[in-house]
Amino acid sequence: MNDKSLIFAVVMLLVLGVALSVTAQSSATPAQQSAPPAKALMLRRGPGAGMPGGMFAYGRIMGGFGGPVVKNAPFSAQVTRESIQVLADGNRIDRKVTGTFARDAVGRTRREMSFPAIGPLAASGPVPRFVFIKDPVSGKNYILNERKKTALEMNMAFGKKFRALKFAHSRMGGKAPEVSTESLGTKTINGVAAQGTRTTRIIPAGQIGNEKPIVITTEKWYSPDLQTILSLTRTDPRFGTSTYQLMNINRADPPQSLFTVPQDYTIKPIRAFKRHLARRGPPSGGF
C-alpha cells in the first residue's frame, strides 16, 4: 500500500469513527452527547490535509482508548460496525468496518480495526489495520502501525486530555430534545446474557430548521457480566442506520502477548506526532 492510500485510510478512521469508543459514548446522557466540549469547538478550525483540524483529528484517534478500566472480566470477540444510508434519490451508501477486541483480567485492552475496500483502498492492495493497546498496569497507551512496525506511545493521563474531542451535535436553541427509555428485557447473545433498552430521542419541529419532529431510536443490549455493549442499533432519519455488534465471544483470558508492543517495533513518543498533526495533518506514510 502506498503512502497516499495510507493517508486516505487515516482520514476514514477519523471521519467514520469506527465505534472505537461506542461504549463510552452510548452511556452518556443526551445532554452530554448534545453539548460539544468548548475545546473541541476551538480546535475544529485548525489546519489539516483535507480533513477536520489537525488537533481535532488527533482527538478522534484518542477515541481508540475510550471506556473505563474493567478488571476480572476477560474476553475476546470480533467487532463489526456498519452504517447504511439511503439517499433521497434511492442511492444507497453502505460502509462496513471490521475488527477485534480483547480484554484481559487486569483490564488491558487491544482493539484492531480494518477499513472497507472503497475508493483508493479498493485498488491499492491489503487495507490498512490499526491496533490500539490500552495498558492501565503500566499507564501507557499505544497505537501500532503494522505496515511500518512503529508504535506511538503516550501516558494514559495524556490521552485522557483528548478523549473528549469527538464529533458532537450542538444545540441550536429552543427546547431540549424529548428523551424516553424503555426496557426490552433480557436475552442471550452469543452465549452471554444481555439487558436491552430502547431510547427514543425526539428533536422538536423547528429545533434545527426541521419542518416535522425528528425521531431517533437507539436499541442497546448490554452485558452486566462483561460490562460492555454486545449489540447497538441506532436509527436516525438524517444519517441512516448504524449497527455495532460483538460476535464469536470467547470468555478465556487472551494471550498476554496481545497487550505488548512487539520487540521488532520502534516506539516513538506521541508529542512529536501531535505537533506535526496540529500543523499539517497526518505525516506522509503514517507515523
Side-chain angles (χ1 to χ4, degrees):
M1 174 172 294
N2 57 38
D3 290 347
K4 290 184 179 179
S5 296
L6 182 59
I7 293 175
F8 177 81
V10 174
V11 172
M12 288 190 62
L13 172 63
L14 303 175
V15 174
L16 297 179
V18 299
L20 291 177
S21 56
V22 64
T23 302
Q25 293 182 24
S26 60
S27 61
T29 65
Q32 290 172 328
Q33 292 181 359
S34 298
K39 185 174 290 187
L41 290 176
M42 289 189 294
L43 296 177
R44 289 189 188 201
R45 295 185 177 273
M51 63 190 328
M55 286 291 290
F56 186 48
Y58 174 75
R60 291 296 291 172
I61 293 177
M62 294 301 101
F65 305 113
V69 175
V70 178
K71 298 181 179 180
N72 302 316
F75 76 97
S76 58
Q78 294 177 330
V79 180
T80 300
R81 178 187 171 100
E82 186 171 18
S83 175
I84 300 176
Q85 183 179 15
V86 180
L87 305 183
D89 63 357
N91 197 3
R92 177 186 172 100
I93 300 175
D94 191 342
R95 302 184 182 95
K96 190 172 184 179
V97 180
T98 61
T100 61
F101 178 86
R103 183 175 68 206
D104 68 3
V106 296
R108 293 182 294 186
T109 62
R110 177 188 177 100
R111 305 173 191 260
E112 298 185 26
M113 300 303 297
S114 297
F115 298 94
I118 61 177
L121 295 183
S124 60
V127 295
R129 184 172 63 174
F130 289 84
V131 178
F132 300 81
I133 296 176
K134 176 181 176 179
D135 185 357
V137 177
S138 65
K140 300 287 187 179
N141 290 335
Y142 299 94
I143 305 175
L144 307 187
N145 182 333
E146 294 186 330
R147 187 180 69 84
K148 298 188 70 174
K149 292 188 178 298
T150 57
L152 288 178
E153 178 189 71
M154 69 210 78
N155 294 325
M156 289 183 63
F158 183 76
K160 289 178 181 178
K161 179 180 178 182
F162 296 92
R163 196 175 300 153
L165 302 183
K166 59 181 181 290
F167 289 111
H169 302 292
S170 61
R171 295 183 180 179
M172 302 297 290
K175 298 187 300 181
E178 303 172 16
V179 179
S180 62
T181 301
E182 61 180 306
S183 173
L184 299 177
T186 61
K187 71 176 181 179
T188 300
I189 300 177
N190 293 308
V192 180
Q195 299 174 348
T197 56
R198 179 184 293 114
T199 301
T200 302
R201 177 173 178 257
I202 301 177
I203 301 177
Q207 180 81 21
I208 55 175
N210 48 314
E211 181 180 354
K212 299 178 181 180
I214 298 174
V215 180
I216 304 165
T217 60
T218 301
E219 182 175 303
K220 177 175 66 175
W221 291 92
Y222 176 83
S223 167
D225 191 14
L226 293 180
Q227 299 184 51
T228 193
I229 294 174
L230 304 183
S231 175
L232 186 144
T233 301
R234 177 183 172 89
T235 301
D236 187 327
R238 299 170 297 173
F239 310 114
T241 299
S242 298
T243 60
Y244 168 85
Q245 288 185 316
L246 290 184
M247 300 175 295
N248 299 326
I249 300 173
N250 185 339
R251 302 293 297 274
D253 204 349
Q256 297 304 294
S257 59
L258 291 178
F259 309 99
T260 59
V261 178
Q263 293 184 352
D264 59 341
Y265 275 55
T266 300
I267 298 178
K268 299 182 178 181
I270 190 66
R271 286 178 174 79
F273 180 74
K274 169 195 163 186
R275 289 193 295 267
H276 186 112
L277 192 61
R279 293 193 304 267
R280 296 187 293 273
S284 176
F287 49 84

